């Protein structure tokens, strides 16, 4: 598709969206560079600026483009390909992908589970849990925002552990705990302005929201995790095979 056709029943903004997508995928619009302005695209394809804006907004939401205030709209670089079929922590996964992982703690502490998290973790509402909210970075750039709820009875010393030095998987291993099962759900979501700022994105940008529980080799629920991953940084795949 090389031009927007008014004879095509497909809405003009969708036609332009696919034109831009093709130019990105072919390399005509290289990663890290700005695409033409709304005015230029509107003039080039003879359509209204609102249609251009809608096409660009759709691609920003997909993570193919990124808007930088005052500078324009840029093509996002190649995404990390990650599998939904493997169990592994952030540090291990980023290292395997060739990135330098790091974390920045936003909040950490001990709190009462309450009715909601007690139900999720299979503990009593009055039991205490360790809570941590942190930004996970790859090569110094924010990659995901993670929240963890861990029953204090699982790792009593967790409140005194250095989470910037050791990964959760390492801390579990120190206590002979092995994660053997992870059950997660995946949704597209948008963050509030404060959390979006932590990830270096706009509140209108979509993030991949994973949340679920992990069990150890004894079948115990050892953590509930909620993770918001930048959609412009990675893509997840799953492999199906007929038995």
């Amino acid at each position: 598709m090389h031009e927007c056709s008014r004879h095509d029943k497909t809405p003009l903004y969708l036609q332009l969206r696919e034109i831009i997508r093709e130019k990105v995928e072919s390399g005509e619009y290289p990663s890290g560079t700005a695409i033409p302005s709304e005015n230029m695209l509107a003039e080039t394809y003879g359509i209204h600026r609102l249609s251009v804006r809608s096409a660009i907004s759709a691609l920003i939401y997909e993570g193919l483009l990124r808007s930088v205030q005052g500078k324009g709209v840029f093509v996002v670089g190649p995404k990390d390909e990650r599998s939904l079929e493997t169990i592994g922590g952030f540090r291990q996964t980023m290292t395997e992908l060739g990135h330098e992982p790091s974390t920045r703690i936003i909040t950490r502490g001990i709190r009462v589970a309450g009715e909601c998290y007690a139900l999720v973790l299979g503990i009593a509402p009055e039991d205490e849990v360790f809570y941590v909210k942190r930004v996970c970075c790859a090569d110094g750039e924010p990659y995901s925002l993670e929240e963890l709820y861990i029953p204090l009875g699982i790792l009593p010393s967790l409140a005194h552990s250095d989470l910037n030095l050791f990964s959760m998987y390492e801390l579990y291993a120190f206590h002979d705990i092995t994660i053997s099962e992870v059950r997660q759900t995946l949704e597209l979501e948008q963050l509030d302005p404060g959390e979006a700022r932590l990830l270096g994105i706009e509140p209108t940008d979509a993030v991949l929201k994973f949340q679920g529980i992990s069990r150890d080799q004894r079948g115990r629920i050892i953590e509930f995790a909620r993770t918001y991953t930048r959609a412009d940084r990675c893509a997840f795949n799953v492999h199906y095979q007929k038995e």
Side-chain angles (χ1 to χ4, degrees), residues 52-143:
V52 174
R53 188 169 302 167
S54 295
I56 292 174
S57 295
L59 293 172
I60 289 174
Y61 188 79
E62 289 181 24
L64 192 66
L65 302 177
R66 184 179 181 190
S67 176
V68 179
Q69 190 171 6
K71 295 185 177 181
V73 177
F74 290 77
V75 179
V76 173
K79 298 183 181 183
D80 292 325
E81 287 289 335
R82 298 175 58 182
S83 173
L84 290 173
E85 302 170 89
T86 57
I87 297 176
F90 178 78
R91 288 177 182 270
Q92 175 188 340
T93 302
M94 290 299 101
T95 300
E96 290 174 352
L97 290 171
H99 298 303
E100 179 65 35
S102 61
T103 58
R104 178 162 54 92
I105 304 296
I106 305 301
T107 307
R108 60 178 289 169
I110 297 172
R111 50 164 288 180
V112 173
E115 295 290 343
C116 176
Y117 293 106
L119 183 63
V120 172
L121 294 168
I123 58 179
E126 63 272 16
D127 287 349
E128 292 182 319
V129 298
F130 180 76
Y131 169 74
V132 61
K133 182 176 184 177
R134 60 186 181 177
V135 176
C136 298
C137 302
D139 302 323
E141 185 176 359
Y143 196 98

Side-chain angles (χ1 to χ4, degrees), residues 154-158 161 170-178 217 220:
I154 297 292
L155 291 179
S157 62
L158 186 55
S161 300
E170 289 174 321
L171 293 174
Y172 287 140
F174 294 159
H175 292 78
D176 296 320
I177 295 173
T178 301
Q217 68 273 32
R220 298 180 302 173

Side-chain angles (χ1 to χ4, degrees), residues 182-212:
V182 178
R183 292 184 177 271
Q184 291 183 317
T185 59
L186 170 61
E187 303 174 70
L188 277 179
E189 194 162 305
Q190 293 175 325
L191 298 174
D192 64 43
E195 292 183 327
R197 195 176 306 115
L198 290 174
L199 283 183
I201 61 176
E202 298 295 326
T204 52
D205 293 343
V207 293
L208 301 168
K209 174 187 174 183
F210 291 88
Q211 67 176 17

